[in-house]
């Protein structure tokens, strides 16, 4: 048996306060894989806009309604693309919706899926995504829960059209894109009509203040069913004043709160993502089976993360302030 040489390249990227870490293995080693194996991919019976128009993604910078979007091929994986909105890394999408390359998206998927599998009917899911990007998470949940109805709220009409043209995102009603301002649209949503609301909205590297306030949290609570879940991707600096204040705010509206992030973020060592969870239902508590399962999944990624339960979060958020409209 001859000598086997392994070549590894490690790339660390930041995306909207998020960390993406990819381990690339030399193609000469066919037995090497990135991460754990995933289940068989499910496909929508309905045709996407790309399937009907024949448009294919092409690298370049394109004008949108609010600026520009750059479509950049993933240098390490065929069929995968990075999306930069107005020069800021915004999303990553591939031909396999089950695979999420941005770690914060993987954390959202783990947290939301655990909640759905334990509290909701997967055949009757209504998920609203505030902030569209490339519709990566919407496509991911449509693939994971084929009967789910995902509504993506995207402020940039041209970006929404381009994403539909470039990628085989399932057609409505599985993934519906609604053009509009996140807060305005949420305010118009019928009460008790959503099971999960995911906020992933950034202007540059920060979330607009109007989407972090107690008034906004009350809108989300009003739109959610009694057993619903609110999720927010919070970008923050090492001082963690934003994350603490957002959690303090959510705790004034929702009886139960929790959070997910990697240890350096919780310790205030860098700029990055903290995923905030809020619900009227109890969330996993350290020591119970659901929290243990969450922890195993979060530790299994390229960037291991921690789940902080309600008691830990209420201690963590001390020093935060309740955010209000200005």
């Amino acid at each position: 048996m001859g000598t086997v040489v392994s070549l590894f390249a490690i790339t660390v990227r930041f995306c909207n306060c998020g960390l993406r870490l990819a381990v690339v293995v030399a193609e000469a080693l066919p037995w090497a894989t990135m991460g754990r194996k995933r289940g068989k991919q499910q496909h929508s019976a309905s045709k996407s806009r790309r399937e009907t128009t024949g448009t294919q993604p092409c690298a370049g910078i394109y004008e949108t309604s609010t600026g520009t979007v750059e479509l950049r091929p993933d240098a390490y994986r065929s069929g995968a693309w990075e999306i930069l909105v107005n020069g800021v890394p915004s999303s990553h999408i591939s031909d396999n919706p089950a695979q999420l390359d941005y770690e914060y998206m993987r954390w959202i998927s783990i947290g939301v899926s655990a909640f759905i599998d334990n509290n909701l009917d997967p055949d009757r899911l209504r998920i609203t995504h505030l902030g569209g990007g490339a519709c990566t998470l919407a496509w991911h949940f449509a693939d994971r829960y084929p009967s789910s109805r995902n509504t993506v709220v995207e402020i940039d009409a041209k970006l929404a059209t381009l994403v539909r043209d470039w990628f085989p995102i399932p057609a409505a009603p599985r993934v519906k894109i609604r053009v509009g301002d996140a807060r305005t649209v949420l305010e118009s949503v019928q009460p008790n009509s959503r099971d999960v609301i995911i906020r992933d909205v950034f202007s540059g590297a920060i979330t607009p203040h109007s989407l972090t306030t107690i008034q906004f949290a009350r809108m989300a609570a009003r739109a959610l069913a009694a057993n619903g879940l609110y999720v927010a991707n919070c970008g923050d600096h090492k001082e963690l004043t934003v994350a603490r204040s957002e959690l303090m705010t959510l705790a004034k509206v929702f009886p139960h709160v929790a959070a997910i992030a990697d240890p350096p973020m919780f310790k205030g060592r860098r700029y990055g993502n903290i995923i905030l969870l809020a619900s009227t239902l109890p969330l996993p508590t350290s020591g119970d089976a659901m929290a243990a399962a969450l922890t195993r999944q979060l530790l299994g990624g390229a960037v291991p993360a921690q789940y902080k339960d309600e008691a830990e979060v209420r201690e963590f958020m001390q020093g935060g302030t309740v955010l209000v409209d200005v």
Side-chain angles (χ1 to χ4, degrees):
M1 185 174 180
T3 302
V4 178
V5 178
S6 299
L7 300 177
F8 295 88
I10 298 179
T11 300
V12 179
R13 300 179 185 173
F14 288 91
C15 53
N16 266 355
C17 328
L19 180 65
R20 176 188 176 212
L21 188 151
V23 180
V24 185
V25 184
E27 292 181 357
L29 305 179
W31 42 264
T33 60
M34 290 176 59
R36 295 170 294 187
K37 292 183 179 179
R38 300 179 183 270
K40 184 177 180 182
Q41 180 178 346
Q42 298 167 333
H43 298 280
S44 169
S46 59
K47 290 186 177 182
S48 68
R49 179 183 172 93
R50 192 188 75 163
E51 291 173 316
T52 57
T53 63
T55 304
Q56 296 293 325
C58 182
I61 299 176
Y62 301 81
E63 289 187 2
T64 66
S65 304
T66 62
T68 63
V69 59
E70 180 179 356
L71 189 60
R72 182 183 295 175
D74 190 320
Y76 307 111
R77 186 151 61 88
S78 176
W81 299 83
E82 192 164 21
I83 312 294
L84 292 85
V85 176
N86 296 323
V88 178
S90 173
S91 190
H92 184 279
I93 192 169
S94 74
D95 51 12
N96 178 9
Q99 185 167 344
L100 298 172
D101 276 40
Y102 280 178
E103 285 300 310
Y104 86 87
M105 290 187 177
R106 192 179 71 85
W107 302 341
I108 289 175
S109 174
I110 290 171
V112 171
S113 297
F115 186 90
I116 289 171
D117 296 343
N118 284 275
N119 298 292
L120 300 173
D121 182 353
D123 294 326
R124 299 174 63 88
L125 282 177
R126 303 156 300 175
I127 306 176
T128 293
H129 305 258
L130 302 177
C135 295
T136 303
L137 279 173
W139 187 11
H140 172 79
F141 283 113
D143 177 75
R144 185 176 180 88
Y145 302 103
S147 298
S148 65
R149 299 292 183 262
N150 292 265
T151 300
V152 178
V153 180
E154 170 55 52
I155 197 169
D156 193 310
K158 181 60 176 177
L159 176 61
T161 299
L162 289 171
V163 166
R164 279 287 193 199
D165 286 344
W166 288 333
F167 305 113
I169 297 165
R174 291 186 65 203
V175 177
K176 174 185 176 180
I177 302 178
R178 180 174 175 180
V179 175
D181 171 75
R183 178 158 170 159
T184 302
V185 171
L186 182 62
E187 192 170 14
S188 71
V189 169
Q190 290 296 313
N192 307 311
S193 64
R194 299 295 183 266
D195 298 301
V196 180
I197 296 174
I198 301 172
R199 189 206 73 195
D200 189 13
V201 181
F202 285 85
S203 178
I206 62 171
T207 298
H209 177 77
S210 63
L211 306 184
T212 68
T213 65
I214 192 167
Q215 289 84 0
F216 182 81
R218 287 170 181 156
M219 290 179 194
R222 173 180 170 274
L224 284 168
N227 59 343
L229 176 70
Y230 177 71
V231 182
N233 177 21
C234 174
D236 204 358
H237 295 270
K238 61 183 181 180
E239 295 82 8
L240 299 176
T241 53
V242 174
R244 289 192 172 99
S245 294
E246 280 215 57
L247 284 167
M248 182 73 75
T249 303
L250 290 174
K252 294 293 184 181
V253 177
F254 295 92
H256 304 285
V257 289
I260 297 172
D262 60 293
M265 270 307 299
F266 279 129
K267 293 177 182 178
R269 292 181 178 172
R270 65 170 176 81
Y271 178 69
N273 299 75
I274 296 182
I275 306 305
L276 316 180
L277 310 172
S279 179
T280 58
L281 293 183
L283 296 170
T285 302
S286 294
D288 68 21
M290 190 172 169
L294 271 173
T295 298
R296 285 193 298 271
Q297 287 185 279
L298 291 169
L299 290 176
V303 180
Q306 295 177 332
Y307 171 78
K308 297 286 189 183
D309 69 6
E310 185 170 345
E312 294 170 306
V313 162
R314 289 188 181 278
E315 181 179 352
F316 170 81
M317 71 188 189
Q318 295 307 307
T321 58
V322 175
L323 302 171
V324 298
D325 287 350
V326 293

